Amino acid sequence: FFKQSPEPPVQKFVQAYQELYGKEPGIIEAFAFDTARLLFRILSESDIHHRHDLRDALLEHFEFEGVTGPTAFAGNGEPIKRLRLLKVKGSQFAEIPYQ
């Protein structure tokens, strides 16, 4: 999670978090936000009644775009994350856009 990312969803999340809590979010807050959004999305789109239904929906779900980057799940349940790459630009870090 790179809170200085120019990506609009990241900036919207950072701004909303700062307004609500009076401080900047960290990696834990960003992952919690993405996890909640992913679960709410799956639960609103799927007919889930049991834990295995949720597991299957997560495994079948295509790539989810969150503030921590794209996320998908491998067949064994492990998350697949695309890391945000950073470079040093002057005296600051800058994000290298996904290609």
Side-chain angles (χ1 to χ4, degrees):
F1 172 65
F2 182 56
K3 61 186 155 205
Q4 289 84 19
S5 171
E7 295 292 321
V10 174
Q11 288 306 303
K12 184 177 177 181
F13 166 69
V14 170
Q15 182 180 357
Y17 190 91
Q18 286 177 318
E19 288 173 5
L20 189 59
Y21 297 106
K23 61 181 182 176
E24 292 185 338
I27 187 76
I28 300 297
E29 292 83 4
F31 275 116
F33 178 74
D34 279 354
T35 300
R37 281 188 54 230
L38 175 59
L39 288 174
F40 290 143
R41 182 173 170 185
I42 289 174
L43 292 171
S44 70
E45 295 175 356
S46 303
D47 190 26
I48 296 177
H49 298 286
H50 303 285
R51 289 184 300 179
H52 65 271
D53 295 333
L54 178 58
R55 179 201 60 215
D56 294 345
L58 286 168
L59 292 176
E60 292 171 7
H61 209 271
F62 60 92
E63 199 170 86
F64 173 79
E65 188 67 43
V67 297
T68 61
T71 303
F73 292 91
N76 65 358
E78 288 291 316
I80 302 168
K81 294 289 294 177
R82 187 180 320 162
L83 298 177
R84 295 195 183 273
L85 299 177
L86 304 176
K87 64 181 176 181
V88 177
K89 189 174 184 179
S91 62
Q92 298 181 341
F93 289 108
E95 187 173 29
I96 299 172
Y98 292 130
Q99 303 267 341

